[in-house]
Every structure is written in C-alpha cells, then in structure tokens.
Amino acid sequence: MLHPQAEQAIALWSAGPSCADPGFGPADVAEVRRAALAEAGREPMEPVDRVEDVDAGGVRCRLHVPAGADGTLVFLHGGGFVFGEVGTHDAQSRRLANRTGRAVLTVDYRRPPEHPFPAAPDDVDAALAWLRDAGAAAGLPTARLAVLGDSAGGNLALVAALRHPGAFDAAVLVYPFLDPEQQAASYDEQDNEALSAAEARWYWQQYAATPDDLRHPDLAPLRASSFAGLPPTLVQVAEHDVLVGEDLELARRIAADGGTVRTTTYPGMIHGFWRHPQLFDAAEQALAEAADFLRGV
C-alpha cells in the first residue's frame, strides 16, 4: 500500500509535464531543467564547513567538506541521466556531508540528449582520476573512498565500482536504474507517476547513442559478467517503484557472486523519496542508514 506521503507526492509531481507525453522535446527538457533548478534553490540549505566548485580533470564538480571529514564520498546524482546537476542536488549533498562525516564530491557529469553514453561514465572516470591524483592537495581525505548514487546515479555508481575494482571501500545504491529491457514484473505491478515504465523507457532512449549501447554492461550493468569485485554494497529500494524488481535482482546477483550486500526496502515508498525529506519521513531514515553503513566499513 502506498504511504500517504507517497500519495501526496504523486499528486504534486503529476501536475508537471512528463517526458512520456507525446511531443515532449528539447524545449521541454530545457524547461524542466530550469524549473528543477529554481525549485532546488528554494530548499533549506544546511551549512557545511567548506563548499566550493572544482574542475576535476575537466569535469565540473562541487565539494562539500564538513569539519573533521574522515573520508570522501563520490556522489552521482539521479535524474534519468537527462535531468539533475550539482545545483539541483546541492541540499542533498550537504545533508550527505553532514550525516556521513565525509567530504562529498558531487560530479556534474554530462547529460543526454546533448551528450549520450558513454559521456557520463567517462566523466565519472575523469573525476575519480582527479581525486586520486589531486584530491589530497585539495584537502580531501582520500584514504577512505566510497561511492553513492540515486536512480541514474545509482547506475553510474555501480558502473564506477565495476570499472574500478578496489577503488572504493563501500557503495550505496539508492533505487538504481539498471535494466533498459525492463524485464522485471515490477514494471507492470508498480507502474505509477513517480516513475512510470514509459518514462523509464524514454530515459534509456535518450541515454543510448545507438541500439547496441543498450546491451553494453557499462550502460546496462545487470549485464556485467560478475559482481564479485564490488565493495560492501547497500541497496536501498522503494517498495512501490518500477525499479524494485531489478534492484532486488542486483542484490541477489551480488550475493550469488560472493559479495557483501545489504538490501533495505522502504515500505510504502516511491521512486524519488530519498531526496525529499520535506515530503517523506523515510528520506532521513534512508540517509541515516547510509551513514551508518558507511561508518561500519
């Protein structure tokens, strides 16, 4: 059953345009981006000891460094690959820094349709190389490095961990967006306006430069040959999300390959809950769980 807060959020979010609407085009993409940035600017911003934009190997990133930071967290934001940026996720980046006690490097990766796959994972690679080579000089504690992403960012976080075995001491994947084939039954069972199956399909179509890309494991990481090299991984799932089936399948495969994985399903929740503590009590619960998980590795 949907939580009452989820029902209220769906009513609020469904008032805007949907990328699955006929005729949704470049002008609509630009308008949704503009509106999301304006809305994010009205969110409460928790103070963090140091906040600054950096050029990380040619990739714009934003640093949020709390006092006494004892590690660094690479944060890859959601938005279906198409939407989202460091500005829309600034409030969440601040919360992550304050809850985890780690410096947060939020990566402003390039987005489709202007920059399709593999621009985004390549930008993550460039930011990681900068962090390895210049992070300490930038005042970042790089001995303890973790990665976290929500939705499309969860895809990118998983791909980064698979591309760079041994680079991270932990990974947190918040309802990661994984399967362009939409094979899970949850695409029929949990189809709602928080994220519909049709919207998910549109995002994949924007992200892939060619049909062959949809079968590439760096775009569709459920196609990875093995998950054995992953660090300890927390998978956070929303019960009423079209992605719940593929997220649980990912956790099953990590465990089958001998990996350490914790899976938490948030009852009554929908896609998008994690970033909106003003709408969902469970958002702070999920942040607290992620912080506890990162402290324990």
Side-chain angles (χ1 to χ4, degrees), residues 143-206:
R144 297 178 65 238
L145 184 62
V147 63
L148 180 151
D150 65 305
S151 192
N155 173 301
L156 295 172
L158 176 58
V159 168
L162 290 169
R163 279 186 167 190
H164 303 277
F168 302 108
D169 55 35
V172 178
L173 310 177
V174 183
Y175 38 67
F177 193 38
L178 304 172
D179 182 17
E181 296 183 65
Q182 300 186 339
Q183 298 175 83
S186 54
Y187 277 96
D188 293 320
E189 297 167 352
Q190 304 297 342
D191 197 1
N192 60 60
E193 291 179 328
L195 175 65
S196 70
E199 288 171 330
R201 191 175 307 113
W202 183 88
Y203 287 129
W204 288 118
Q205 290 167 352
Q206 308 314 301

Side-chain angles (χ1 to χ4, degrees), residues 107-128:
V107 181
D108 201 19
Y109 56 84
R110 287 172 292 168
R111 301 169 297 180
E114 301 92 335
H115 303 285
F117 176 84
D122 286 352
D123 283 356
V124 176
D125 284 355
L128 288 175

Side-chain angles (χ1 to χ4, degrees), residues 233-237 247-248 251-252 261-265 289:
T233 300
L234 170 64
V235 182
Q236 295 182 323
V237 181
D247 293 347
L248 295 176
R252 186 195 69 78
V261 60
R262 180 201 297 180
T263 309
T264 303
T265 299
E289 182 191 30

